[in-house]
Amino acid sequence: ARFGCAWFGLTKFGKYTNFSEAEFTITAQFVDTLFRGYVEFIGTKFQGDVTFEGAEFLGKVTFKEEENQQKIYAKFFGMLSFLNTNFRKGINIELPKDCFKLPDAEAEACRVQRLYYERNGIKDKADEMFRRERRASRKAKVRQAKEQLIKSKGIKSKLKAIINLLKVYGCFLMEILLADLTC
């Protein structure tokens, strides 16, 4: 299936929901949506922003399949939000970096997966997700600082943006030295 602007707000899905291989070309909103059973987004392409804010998953939700030497992943080309989302039986969104165009989306996916692992006592996987989340967050901050520099007009705002970019790069370097290299 191919969707342009898809809004599934306040929708209730039954025992099994399958959006595998679907393509959302503009935006996809699953705001306050209830998924009663197992949900699949395997191979789904989200070309624009996607939000699951306030959604509730009563069954497991998966965004990938890795069986029989076949690896099929969902792809995110825009922003991703799982704000106030409830996963009762788990989420499987531990995707490779190339499945995300924006580092913000990767950080959000890693955050959600990390929280699931922490709740279930899977400490090693939670640590790995935390590391990936922090790296993606650093990249997102650099991207935002660069965008701010490009958008700034006038000497004063350009200078402010350059100073901000240098601060972000400094923090980026410090976090690499203190966190990544020591752990």
Side-chain angles (χ1 to χ4, degrees):
R2 187 177 186 157
F3 301 91
C5 246
W7 190 76
F8 293 98
L10 303 171
T11 305
K12 295 177 182 174
F13 291 96
K15 293 183 180 182
Y16 174 70
T17 307
N18 188 343
F19 281 101
S20 295
E21 302 296 326
E23 185 173 347
F24 295 91
T25 59
I26 300 175
T27 60
Q29 293 193 19
F30 296 90
V31 178
D32 296 323
T33 302
L34 175 65
F35 296 92
R36 288 193 175 104
Y38 185 72
V39 184
E40 288 184 349
F41 288 98
I42 299 167
T44 305
K45 290 182 185 172
F46 297 98
Q47 301 289 347
D49 297 344
V50 59
T51 181
F52 292 94
E53 291 180 14
E56 188 166 2
F57 295 89
L58 301 181
K60 189 171 182 178
V61 58
T62 186
F63 290 84
K64 70 178 189 172
E65 181 175 70
E66 293 181 340
E67 292 181 14
N68 303 329
Q69 296 180 348
Q70 188 177 23
K71 296 180 181 182
I72 305 170
Y73 304 114
K75 302 241 188 237
F76 298 90
F77 297 94
M79 295 297 288
L80 173 63
S81 175
F82 284 106
L83 208 64
N84 299 321
T85 303
N86 186 9
F87 302 97
R88 295 268 177 94
K89 293 198 177 171
I91 181 170
N92 189 0
I93 193 169
E94 188 177 335
L95 303 172
K97 291 176 182 158
D98 61 345
C99 291
F100 303 96
K101 184 176 180 187
L102 299 177
D104 309 79
E106 180 183 2
E108 178 70 359
C110 290
R111 181 187 70 79
V112 169
Q113 189 69 57
R114 172 183 58 86
L115 291 172
Y116 171 72
Y117 286 147
E118 285 175 354
R119 275 193 299 269
N120 290 294
I122 307 170
K123 302 271 188 227
D124 291 342
K125 290 270 196 179
D127 290 346
E128 176 60 31
M129 286 294 105
F130 179 73
R131 192 167 35 256
R132 277 188 61 191
E133 177 187 353
R134 294 304 308 148
R135 286 177 181 162
S137 293
R138 285 195 303 261
K139 289 177 186 175
K141 287 178 185 174
V142 169
R143 184 184 65 79
Q144 290 168 355
K146 285 180 180 179
E147 285 177 0
Q148 183 184 12
L149 178 61
I150 291 168
K151 291 178 182 176
S152 62
K153 295 180 181 172
I155 294 172
K156 193 173 182 179
S157 64
K158 284 266 189 213
L159 188 59
K160 216 176 202 182
I162 289 171
I163 290 170
N164 183 43
L165 183 62
L166 291 173
K167 275 189 207 176
V168 169
Y169 271 125
C171 291
F172 187 96
L173 184 61
M174 282 299 252
E175 204 169 318
I176 287 174
L177 292 173
L178 295 175
D180 286 353
L181 296 179
T182 59
C183 298

